[in-house]
Amino acid sequence: MDSTQERTFCKWLNTKLEANGYPPMRSLVQDLSDGVRLIQLMEIMGDTSLGRYNKNPRMRVQKAENVNKALEFIRQRGIKLTNIGPEDIMDGNLKLILGMIWTLVLRFTIADISEEGLSAKEGLLLWCQRKTAPYKEVNVQDFSSSWSDGLALCALIHCHRPDLLDYDKLNKSDRHGNTRLAFQVATEYLAIPQLLEVEDLCDSAHPDERSVMTYIASFFHAFSSMDQAETVSRRVEKFAELMQSVWLSRNDYERRARNLLRALSEVQTEWAASMFTGTYTDAKAHSASFNRYKHSTKRSWVTERQDITTLFGNIQTKLRTYGLREYDPPLGLAPSDIDHAWNDLLHSEAKRSRSINAQIRQIKETLRKEFADLANDFSQRLHAISLELSNVEGPLEEQQEHVRTLQTRLPALSDALSRVSRAENDCISANVEENDYTIFTCQDLEFELELLAQSIAKKISFIDNQIVSRNMTNLTPAQLEQFESTFRYFARDGTNTLSLADFNAALASLGLVYSDEDMDYLYDHLVQEYGAITFQAFINLLVDITEDQTSPDQLRESFRGIASDKPFVTELDMRLAQLPSSAIDYLREVLPFQRNEVGEPEYDYETWLEEVFA
């Protein structure tokens, strides 16, 4: 057994050396005799430096100093060495050298193993027995003959990674083939170095226990980290998914708020530094530049400001829905800070407008005031509704009623806007191009009115969907998040409903593919029941399907069918399966992927399904 131990222990030590950039050893007796390799190993295992030593010893006394330094370090770490001194290693006493290495294996590989109160050898044996218990051909009783047919090794691999080998299809009588397969899979896919040879297990009446234990301990460490990661993942998965969505929204809000505030400050600084030359041409140039700003830059800021305000409200609504602490933005980034900065911008705009208009005196005061009064009044009414919309809070049903009430006030604003438009036309006819009493144009106000109408519609859709999501107690948060994101992705026309084509694509992206006849029937049935494919209709349908039809295993089988039993699916697979283009586009966005050797994405549907289903 010494030859097996020598080869196994040499390979075990080489894994440490090679991982740290040292060349491997070929002979324990020869390579350890000068103490250099032994010191290198102790520095690796102890994660520390042993200080200066003779890196190229030639004299026996130098070799003795090296070996003694390494042995002293081992003893200082509380590792007991029996009957071995520097001369034993220098003179190549293989039996004592193997005993010393076994002590190191116990200390650095096996000692930290624990299973149900048992440790070291007993704990490792119990772990092996528990993992292989479901396999009737496997009966692990020791670290010797129990491993001689390769089935115990294959069972350990299949128990943790059934995707790597098909245990049921093994030829249970092919001892050498099964062992060779286990060695190959462990090396290629689990990064477990092959410390043993097939003959060490299959051609020996009693395989060496220490060699087998050393090798099996590598499996324990590889798989125990996997089990621990899965346990931790399950513990935080649901809450993490929720908090991640809130975290992303908060980061998005803060980034956009900073950018908007910076832009508002920069334009006001530019205006303050601007000078007039006193000519009509110069004044008209300033006026043209200012009008370009209002018709492009400011409109984008108006949109961004409204979107930021809506985003903040959505964050607070989601946190309140799940009973979480409300979001308190960083100093200077609160909605009130943005409002103050916006008011400063409006004041700067008014100042800028007056300074330009002061250069041009051919304006009829009456028409200017008439238009300004109407426009400013409209802006105030518009801003009042917008501000009221941004401050909507309370239970979802109360928010829903409040926002719908705001929506009923929009027709009156449209009538007022018509009066503003008529006044503006009067000014244009009189060649009045500037107005000291307002910074607004009818186009500005019409744009903001349209934006407000869109914001109210989006807010209603968001609250409606939140109410539906809150009431879906028979779905996990992960499913709700997935179904809601799918609906939002395909309901892009602003109606918060799905057309037949979008409905078909949304279901297909979730792995639910129907014939044209079945899809027409399903669509007509839902439209008849709900009036349209609303979020509630969509989510209720998915609840029925999730409860009665669709399971993770069924979806996984569907993907495997499309992928021809590959662990990944390609875009070509999805197109050959005749999935709608919009569903393929959606799946390409959400499925994780890796590129193969020719650069083609291979989409990992297994990982995605594990993330979607809690």
Side-chain angles (χ1 to χ4, degrees), residues 313-351:
N314 291 347
I315 292 172
Q316 300 295 49
T317 298
K318 178 171 286 189
L319 291 174
R320 295 189 194 104
T321 298
Y322 291 97
L324 300 175
R325 180 181 301 171
E326 291 190 358
Y327 168 48
D328 184 17
L331 184 65
L333 295 182
S336 59
D337 297 314
I338 297 176
D339 287 340
H340 290 319
W342 191 261
N343 288 334
D344 291 340
L345 175 70
L346 296 182
H347 291 314
S348 296
E349 283 184 356
K351 181 179 179 181

Side-chain angles (χ1 to χ4, degrees), residues 62-103:
Q62 293 175 326
K63 297 179 180 179
E65 288 177 355
N66 284 349
V67 175
N68 193 58
K69 178 184 284 286
L71 294 179
E72 184 61 26
F73 174 78
I74 294 174
R75 295 187 181 96
Q76 289 175 355
R77 296 299 292 265
I79 303 174
K80 185 177 180 181
L81 298 176
T82 304
N83 297 329
I84 186 170
E87 63 281 357
D88 297 312
I89 297 176
M90 294 165 57
D91 296 337
N93 189 326
L94 181 59
K95 183 175 182 180
L96 292 180
I97 291 174
L98 293 176
M100 177 193 66
I101 297 176
W102 174 242
T103 301

